[in-house]
Amino acid sequence: MRVLVLFAHPAQRKSSINTAMATAARALKGVTFVDLYAEYPRFSIDVDREQRRLMENDVIVFQFPVFWYSTPALLKQWQDLVLEYGFAYGPQGKKLGGKQTLACVTTGGSKSDYSDNGGNRRAVEHFMYPLEQTATLCGMDYLPPFVLYSANHLDDESAQHHIRSYPQLLTALRDDRLDLARVRTLPTFGSSELNDLMRN
Amino acid sequence: MEGLAFYALCYLAAAVLAVIVSQRVGLGSVVGYIAAGVLIGPVFQISVAGSGYLEQFSEFGIVMMLFLIGLEIDPQMVWRLRDKLLGLGGLQVVGTIGAITAAGIGLGFTSQQSLLFGFVAALSSTAIVLQTLEEKGLLKSDGGQASFAVLLFQDLAVIPMLACIPLIAGSGQGDSAGHGGTALLTDLPGWASAVLTLAAVGVVVAAAHYLSRPIFRTIALLGLREVFTAAALLVVVGITVLMSAVGLSPALGAFLGGVVLANSEFKHELQNDIEPFKGLLLGLFFMTIGAKIDPEILLANWSTVVTATFGLMVIKALVLLPLAWFFRVRGPAGWLFALGLAQAGEFGFVLLTIGGDRGLLSPTTVSVSVLIITSSMVLTPVLFALSNRIVIMLEKRGRNQRRADQPDQGTVILAGVGRFGQIVNRMLLANGYKPVVLDYRADVVDNVRKFGVKSFFGDAGRPDLLDSAGLAHAALLVVAIDDPDRATEIVAYARRSNPDIQIIVRAYDRLHHYKLLDAGADHIVREMFDGSVQAAGMALESLGMHPYEVEKRKAVFVEQDTAGLARMAKLVDVDTPAASNPDFVAGFNDIGKVIENAMMGYRSGYDEMVARGWNAPDAGSIHVPKSAGIDLPS
């Protein structure tokens, strides 16, 4: 399987977990890694090129930090421009049909913040609903999101664990070793569940 | 010499005085010149002795006017106006000639005399009408365009009329504008003279088309303006001599030459050079007309003059109005058209003068006719006021829902198409705007023209060139020249002559920026600033900074610098060099501190400004309440 990672982060500092995840993903063979903010710092997205990249891959991974319950601005811009009528949807569209999509997100809030009784009043997958429906409308196979909670409050060990597990997830997708049937039974999954979800 | 100086003094003094008064009263310059002639001739009896050669000389004014009319002919515009030009113009001329000739015969004139009257009456005053339409901003309106088309046709119709008068008068050779043609051809057989005549026309067209460009370009590259003016005059005089030699109308030749040169990049420059001469010589022509007015004849015939003037205008309007309606120039536009063109025109004087010379009309009849034409021209402002009244009445009655007469549409003037201006030009063109381009380098203009851009050679710093490029009605002026002082002058002039225009200008540096602000520019672009910021950004990117981070840092830098520029404005004294103005230096240091600190390594303000946004709540410190757990960037 050919894997495309679309990474969107407007403030890539050395200390950021997302930056470390990105560095690890970038080094993988058989995975196309795209830093959207580096390629389109002025938000003028090359739609043809992006569509070509989508066509050339089987698994589309969106990697981003959750900002105000949504994607960073450029990733929204990407959706608005790239998922065109006649390409991604519509009678002549559906060119993305059958491709797998996966959101790999980090959140500032903890798992309990993202619960019915927490400050955010919903579980995190609910906030991914626009992305899910977008993928579904385009006929894509939407997988439950891969989530890292409390990204700003992690101890070093958990941070490193997540950073190491991310390339493992991507290679598993690449080599078709992820047990998709089991993944689909979960609302979300994280680095601690990853080992159990792999096939040998 | 003494005599010449004295005549010059009298003519110029009378002209200046009378034209100022006439313009002030709103009658236009033509009426003023005629009044000056009246002062010189009948009133003070100055002109009696020496007016003969002046009169000949003044007829160059007519030749130049036709040359300029030829220059003004834009093939595309003529094509667009073809229906109105041929249909409306042709029917108007034929209709008016018919009506007036019939009236003349009815009043007991001979058919030849009546036909001449018809010719005279068919023409309207191009000079007065175009000027008035332009002043009122109505030239591009429906009524204005129709008027323009008809005036153009009339100007063209003058040429066959001039040729016809000798035939009507029944005496042979036609040296129409009265230059005392040398009649080179009288001894030649018919076929030879025909060949020679055609050859002369061919020479004018070919020379204007093939010779003029390289010659003008050479002169332009020399940078000697007076030589260019001399060359422009040479063109007109040369055509006149050639045409007179073969017995053709010099006016026709000049018109042809003008048409051929109309598409040249030197068009505006030629116009500007010929225009003052044309204006003065035409003024002189009108003055000689005025000088010939005999007060005794006026007193003896005043009732005839009044009745005939009124009758002339009514007949002309009655011919024009139904034609306008037929050609779908209706409502307000139709009234503007019919009443605006109801006077007789300056070419009438020429026709009458020739008719008198040919013995077709008695001197008294000529004088009375001149008076009739003059009074109808004097009444033109009244006609325009009347059409305005009618339009208001029409609008009150609500018969016209839409605003019929749209004033001139906005246009873009681009001064300078060098390295800076050509980018502006290309982007405007790419987005469907066609700027009028001015540049003082003939080779540059040449190159730009190859890409199909409407461009003209000339120094954009010259007010008259800006005016003829349409400054008064333009919506936008982009000054892209690299000479700072000249750019400032252009901005100041443009602001004075068109308060509503948007002005975008290229600034050399900060101090120039302030001068331009003072001069009235709306938007000022520092020529090196954006390019330098780009290079700095690339430098940061090459050093490993994330492209989006670079973008943010560039944005903050530009914002800070621009804000500083604005805050500094009140500290600037444009006449003192920046470095010797202590306030400026102090302020510059103060405002630049944020940026300069960053440069010096004290990263106080700049970094904070850039880093603002996407900041994670700081773990362990007081931030968003834990219970809220709002997801700010991680």
Side-chain angles (χ1 to χ4, degrees), chain A residues 10-128:
Chain A
Q12 296 173 32
R13 301 186 183 102
K14 284 203 178 102
S15 57
S16 152
I17 288 178
N18 264 301
T19 312
M21 288 163 68
T23 309
R26 207 190 295 267
L28 293 176
K29 289 215 175 89
V31 172
T32 308
F33 183 87
V34 176
D35 179 352
L36 288 174
Y37 272 94
E39 294 203 9
Y40 308 113
R42 266 165 274 179
F43 278 54
S44 72
I45 290 170
D46 182 344
V47 174
D48 291 335
R49 178 187 186 198
E50 290 305 311
Q51 291 181 346
R52 219 179 310 122
R53 278 207 278 240
L54 289 177
M55 297 303 293
E56 285 163 2
N57 288 281
D58 310 303
V59 183
I60 316 298
V61 175
F62 298 103
Q63 184 199 334
F64 59 92
V66 174
F67 289 166
W68 285 115
Y69 315 112
S70 184
T71 66
L74 181 56
L75 187 53
K76 181 63 167 68
Q77 175 101 330
W78 181 95
Q79 295 169 52
D80 297 348
L81 294 178
V82 179
L83 303 178
E84 273 180 322
Y85 178 80
F87 170 77
Y89 71 103
Q92 318 295 327
K94 302 271 184 197
K95 299 211 165 102
L96 303 176
K99 294 183 192 297
Q100 289 166 2
T101 53
L102 172 69
C104 297
V105 303
T106 59
T107 71
S110 64
K111 182 146 193 173
S112 67
D113 289 332
Y114 281 99
S115 68
D116 288 355
N117 300 319
N120 295 324
R121 300 170 57 220
R122 295 281 186 282
V124 76
E125 62 269 23
H126 293 290
F127 298 107
M128 294 297 117

Side-chain angles (χ1 to χ4, degrees), chain B residues 383-397:
Chain B
L383 291 172
F384 272 101
L386 186 64
S387 88
N388 203 22
R389 264 293 157 83
I390 293 173
V391 169
I392 292 169
M393 264 170 49
L394 285 179
E395 272 172 4
K396 269 195 185 149
R397 278 163 56 183

Side-chain angles (χ1 to χ4, degrees), chain B residues 474-478 495 498-504 520-523:
Chain B
L476 171 66
L477 168 69
V478 183
R495 179 52 71 221
N498 184 350
D500 299 329
I501 197 170
Q502 288 275 316
I503 304 174
I504 300 171
D522 295 299
H523 306 286

Side-chain angles (χ1 to χ4, degrees), chain B residues 10-311:
Chain B
C10 295
Y11 273 89
L12 289 174
V16 169
L17 191 77
V19 171
I20 288 175
V21 171
S22 157
Q23 279 281 27
R24 267 292 151 93
V25 183
L27 294 179
S29 59
V30 175
V31 173
Y33 282 121
I34 292 172
V38 173
L39 281 179
I40 290 171
V43 179
F44 294 117
Q45 305 283 329
I46 300 167
S47 73
V48 190
S51 61
Y53 72 93
L54 271 179
E55 211 171 299
Q56 269 196 15
F57 196 54
S58 72
E59 278 157 9
F60 262 117
I62 306 287
V63 178
M64 287 181 180
M65 179 159 168
L66 273 158
F67 180 70
L68 289 174
I69 289 171
L71 269 185
E72 268 305 325
I73 290 187
D74 174 357
Q76 281 176 341
M77 190 182 59
V78 171
W79 183 246
R80 194 158 39 81
L81 289 174
R82 61 192 184 279
D83 294 345
K84 292 198 171 100
L85 192 77
L86 292 177
L88 196 52
L91 286 173
Q92 185 275 142
V93 168
V94 171
T96 313
I97 291 176
I100 296 284
T101 308
I105 294 171
L107 288 170
F109 290 100
T110 68
S111 56
Q112 284 94 339
Q113 287 170 333
S114 305
L115 187 57
L116 179 59
F117 289 145
F119 284 176
V120 171
L123 306 172
S124 307
S125 173
T126 308
I128 294 180
V129 176
L130 282 192
Q131 197 185 336
T132 313
L133 286 174
E134 181 109 66
E135 276 167 14
K136 292 181 186 291
L138 292 169
L139 195 52
K140 296 273 162 65
S141 70
D142 291 352
Q145 287 285 286
S147 306
F148 179 82
V150 169
L151 288 168
L152 191 61
F153 184 85
Q154 291 177 353
D155 291 341
L156 299 180
V158 168
I159 294 157
M161 286 181 187
L162 287 171
C164 272
I165 292 175
L167 298 179
I168 300 170
S171 64
Q173 204 74 45
D175 60 301
S176 23
H179 286 279
T182 46
L184 185 77
L185 309 177
T186 36
D187 302 336
L188 293 171
W191 64 268
S193 71
V195 167
L196 252 180
T197 309
L198 281 178
V201 173
V203 165
V204 169
V205 172
H209 197 265
Y210 294 106
L211 270 182
S212 68
R213 272 197 182 183
I215 292 175
F216 282 137
R217 195 174 311 131
T218 313
I219 298 170
L221 287 173
L222 286 178
L224 296 170
R225 226 161 80 187
E226 67 280 2
V227 178
F228 198 97
T229 309
L233 286 175
L234 181 66
V235 169
V236 176
V237 176
I239 291 174
T240 306
V241 171
L242 184 65
M243 290 289 119
S244 302
V246 297
L248 274 181
S249 153
L252 169 68
F255 175 77
L256 265 179
V259 172
V260 178
L261 285 170
N263 212 18
S264 143
E265 62 268 45
F266 299 102
K267 171 182 162 184
H268 282 196
E269 190 76 2
L270 281 170
Q271 269 176 330
N272 292 331
D273 284 335
I274 301 276
E275 189 80 51
F277 292 98
K278 175 219 107 183
L280 276 178
L281 290 175
L282 213 53
L284 192 59
F285 176 77
F286 292 136
M287 283 164 74
T288 57
I289 303 282
K292 282 193 220 155
I293 290 176
D294 191 334
E296 282 173 29
I297 296 175
L298 175 61
L299 285 176
N301 295 287
W302 69 269
S303 59
T304 315
V305 171
V306 171
T307 329
T309 306
F310 189 69

Side-chain angles (χ1 to χ4, degrees), chain A residues 9-13 16 18 35 37-38 41-43 65-69 106-109 113-114 118-120 151-153, chain B residues 534 541 546-549 551-552 554 610-620 623 626-634:
Chain A
H9 198 317
Q12 296 173 32
R13 301 186 183 102
S16 152
N18 264 301
D35 179 352
Y37 272 94
R42 266 165 274 179
F43 278 54
V66 174
F67 289 166
W68 285 115
Y69 315 112
T106 59
T107 71
D113 289 332
Y114 281 99
N120 295 324
N152 306 319
H153 313 282
Chain B
Q534 292 291 348
E541 217 176 301
H546 189 270
Y548 190 63
E549 185 71 15
E551 212 51 47
K552 283 184 283 177
K554 271 157 56 178
V610 175
R612 185 169 176 183
W614 301 293
N615 272 325
D618 196 2
H623 59 91
K626 193 77 181 157
S627 61
I630 290 171
D631 244 323
L632 290 166
S634 39

